[in-house]
Amino acid sequence: MPLSPRSRWILLPLVLALGAVSLYFLRLHINHEARTIPESPKEDKPQGPIYKDIHREVAPPLPEYFPLAAGANGPDDLPPVPSWNRPPVKHVPESTRLYLGFTRFWPLLQQVVVSYIAAGWPPEDIYVIENTGTFDANKRGLLTVQNPFYLDYHRLTRVFGVNVITTPSLQTFAQLQNLYLSKAIRDNLTHYFWSHMDIAVTSHEDRQDPFKSFYMRAVDVVRQTQSPDYQEKWAQHFFAYDWLTLVNVEAFAAIGGWDSMVGYYGTDCDMYSRLAMNDYKSPIADAGMIYDVTTSVSDLEIFFRRVPKNKSKAADSTKDKEQKQRRDTSISRAGSNNSSIPPLNDDYLSGTEEDELGGRGFLELKETLNQIQEDKKSDKYRNSWQLRQNGGEGEPYYVDPDGFEKALQMIIEVGTKVNEEKWGHKGCDIKKAGLKEGDQWKVEHDSTFDSKLRR
């Protein structure tokens, strides 16, 4: 139906209003477009990785801590083991295999090996487990002394006469312990010793009732465990906690060995707690003095207890100093596997004689090691010795030392958390917390997880 004239007039205002509104919004849009500032082209972002700003001071070269060994071609070029510590010519009937694990810092490994040898341990019974992750690089002499993973393979095997076994890859502490156990099982051993590398040992020269060397006292503990009268269900004997430990292979194997999921800190708490839960005992034993150290004595000659002949004569004293100066000068070198240095040891050996049992040399050695031990106690980070070498860049299998340490701390932290989840408990007092064998991974968190209680 067509609109009437009146209806058209009624709709006209509405049409005009809609047109006005449309024009208004159209004008706003045009003005906005006019005022809009075109965006500047985006700057190109840097391509590739952004590197950290690293300023690392290279540590000074390590000194030679055993000049006589540097000039030696074999064991006969070294000072003899003190007569009171010398092991029997014919090996004792008992096995006395000793494992020493090594990853970083050669000076401490050399010191612990020398201290055991000087305390009477047969070199052929000492097994250094080279756990560096550098394959055969040390055996081939491809690493320098400032590389954290360096060790002197030639000196260990040909001069000291000990054994070196290289792991196929870098092992955690728990994996290394299982390697000791596995090898002992394969070799049909009923027991073995293992020791930390950041220690030094001496015999009880101040105990002469009667005197026995460090080694022979350790043998006595083995004999005690093998006696028919010894009825204790034992897992291990601690010599100064586990700085040196005698292990019962059967006991360790019976509980499944070390938990490799707990790689470092906490794995001892787990292992020793499980042994206790299975009624195995870990008695304390004594073989001699064991020092927890963070550095090497300045000259390892001191362990062999030699003194200058006619030491009261000034001329001989001067000659001895000159001989030492000649040795120190001749040892200046970057690498270690250099055996071309002419031995000056004949002069040294002919100009010295054995000290007395418990004599002044023993007191000096004891005082020196005590001081090193006290220094380690006062160090906020007791394992700071692991960070003293940061060289080796460009050498085979090089690993950034700071990166290695950071990764290690991350692995340690993860292993600690694994152990806490395993037992539902934080801390080393696992058995005292009421936990028993079979509770692993089956219990809820206890009160030690309450952060308020742990503050």
Side-chain angles (χ1 to χ4, degrees):
M1 178 183 293
L3 293 175
S4 66
R6 185 177 180 181
S7 299
R8 294 193 187 104
W9 288 111
I10 292 173
L11 293 174
L12 182 60
L14 177 62
V15 171
L16 292 174
L18 290 173
V21 170
S22 298
L23 289 172
Y24 175 76
F25 280 106
L26 177 62
R27 184 175 181 182
L28 285 178
H29 176 72
I30 293 172
N31 289 340
H32 174 75
E33 289 291 332
R35 289 196 301 266
T36 300
I37 302 174
E39 293 184 5
S40 58
K42 295 182 179 180
E43 296 181 3
D44 292 336
K45 293 183 178 180
Q47 299 297 316
I50 300 175
Y51 291 97
K52 300 175 181 177
D53 186 16
I54 299 176
H55 297 284
R56 179 186 299 150
E57 293 185 7
V58 178
L62 292 175
E64 173 56 73
Y65 290 100
F66 198 7
L68 284 171
N73 292 317
D76 292 341
D77 294 328
L78 296 178
V81 174
S83 59
W84 53 84
N85 282 339
R86 211 161 292 157
V89 176
K90 184 179 180 181
H91 197 287
V92 296
E94 297 80 12
S95 171
T96 54
R97 180 178 296 183
L98 169 63
Y99 291 116
L100 290 167
F102 169 80
T103 298
R104 291 183 286 179
F105 202 53
W106 157 251
L108 285 190
L109 175 65
Q110 178 177 230
Q111 178 170 253
V112 71
V113 169
V114 167
S115 72
Y116 272 115
I117 292 174
W121 215 286
E124 65 269 21
D125 286 357
I126 299 175
Y127 285 71
V128 171
I129 309 300
E130 184 201 349
N131 181 42
T132 62
T134 62
F135 302 100
D136 63 347
N138 277 307
K139 184 176 182 180
R140 297 170 60 196
L142 301 179
L143 307 184
T144 59
V145 293
Q146 200 51 43
N147 190 312
F149 307 108
Y150 162 89
L151 63 73
D152 193 330
Y153 190 94
H154 163 83
R155 186 176 298 186
L156 287 171
T157 56
R158 293 183 56 185
V159 178
F160 296 158
V162 305
N163 307 279
V164 177
I165 297 176
T166 302
T167 59
S169 62
L170 189 67
Q171 308 284 294
T172 66
F173 178 83
Q175 290 171 329
L176 206 59
Q177 291 292 334
N178 281 334
L179 187 150
Y180 302 164
L181 179 61
S182 175
K183 183 158 181 58
I185 292 172
R186 290 199 307 269
D187 294 345
N188 296 314
L189 299 182
T190 60
H191 62 274
Y192 61 88
F193 292 88
W194 74 271
S195 172
H196 288 268
M197 60 162 281
D198 55 335
I199 66 160
V201 305
T202 66
S203 298
H204 281 308
E205 292 190 34
D206 49 355
R207 296 184 190 177
Q208 303 177 22
D209 48 354
F211 170 82
K212 283 190 176 182
S213 70
F214 188 101
Y215 173 69
M216 289 309 299
R217 285 181 180 271
V219 171
D220 283 347
V221 178
V222 174
R223 290 172 175 170
Q224 176 190 356
T225 66
Q226 295 180 345
S227 169
D229 298 330
Y230 189 76
Q231 299 298 320
E232 190 165 48
K233 185 181 178 183
W234 70 283
Q236 57 196 345
H237 282 255
F238 285 138
F239 299 78
Y241 188 52
D242 64 3
W243 292 347
L244 172 65
T245 305
L246 171 63
V247 171
N248 181 350
V249 172
E250 182 181 2
F252 273 50
I255 68 164
W258 296 70
D259 187 347
S260 59
M261 295 296 183
V262 187
Y264 293 93
Y265 295 144
T267 196
D268 55 342
C269 300
D270 171 76
M271 183 64 173
Y272 302 159
S273 294
R274 287 189 288 120
L275 287 168
M277 290 172 184
N278 286 275
D279 299 323
Y280 285 104
K281 307 300 180 185
S282 299
I284 304 300
D286 176 44
M289 305 169 79
I290 303 179
Y291 299 88
D292 186 24
V293 298
T294 186
T295 191
S296 175
V297 299
S298 59
D299 191 338
L300 296 174
E301 169 198 0
I302 192 173
F303 282 97
F304 293 94
R305 309 291 313 291
R306 306 289 295 180
V307 295
K309 288 182 179 178
N310 302 320
K311 57 184 177 181
S312 61
K313 295 183 180 180
D316 286 341
S317 177
T318 302
K319 180 180 178 182
D320 180 67
K321 290 180 181 179
E322 290 175 351
Q323 289 173 352
K324 187 176 188 304
Q325 184 177 7
R326 287 171 59 206
R327 290 198 309 273
D328 292 345
T329 302
S330 69
I331 307 304
S332 264
R333 58 183 183 175
S336 69
N337 297 323
N338 178 3
S339 59
S340 62
I341 298 174
L344 300 169
N345 301 8
D346 290 344
D347 290 343
Y348 165 79
L349 294 175
S350 62
T352 60
E353 59 187 358
E354 187 174 82
D355 192 8
E356 297 177 354
L357 174 65
R360 182 176 178 180
F362 170 71
L363 298 178
E364 290 176 354
L365 176 59
K366 183 177 177 181
E367 180 181 356
T368 300
L369 293 174
N370 268 324
Q371 185 58 57
I372 294 175
Q373 182 168 253
E374 289 303 313
D375 291 344
K376 186 172 187 177
K377 289 179 180 178
S378 63
D379 192 338
K380 293 181 180 180
Y381 180 45
R382 68 184 307 274
N383 289 331
S384 60
W385 54 269
Q386 296 176 343
L387 310 177
R388 289 186 188 158
Q389 293 165 286
N390 58 8
E393 188 168 1
E395 296 175 9
Y397 316 114
Y398 172 78
V399 177
D400 180 271
D402 295 336
F404 181 89
E405 179 63 19
K406 184 175 183 179
L408 176 62
Q409 294 304 319
M410 293 171 69
I411 294 173
I412 289 173
E413 184 178 356
V414 170
T416 301
K417 290 180 179 179
V418 168
N419 197 47
E420 292 169 353
E421 291 295 329
K422 176 180 180 178
W423 294 105
H425 178 78
K426 292 186 176 184
C428 207
D429 55 339
I430 299 172
K431 187 172 184 291
K432 288 182 180 179
L435 293 159
K436 63 184 185 301
E437 181 68 74
D439 286 343
Q440 299 94 311
W441 301 105
K442 295 179 181 179
V443 295
E444 298 288 350
H445 292 178
D446 64 14
S447 61
T448 59
F449 280 80
D450 189 332
S451 58
K452 293 181 180 179
L453 294 177
R454 292 180 61 82
R455 287 177 182 174

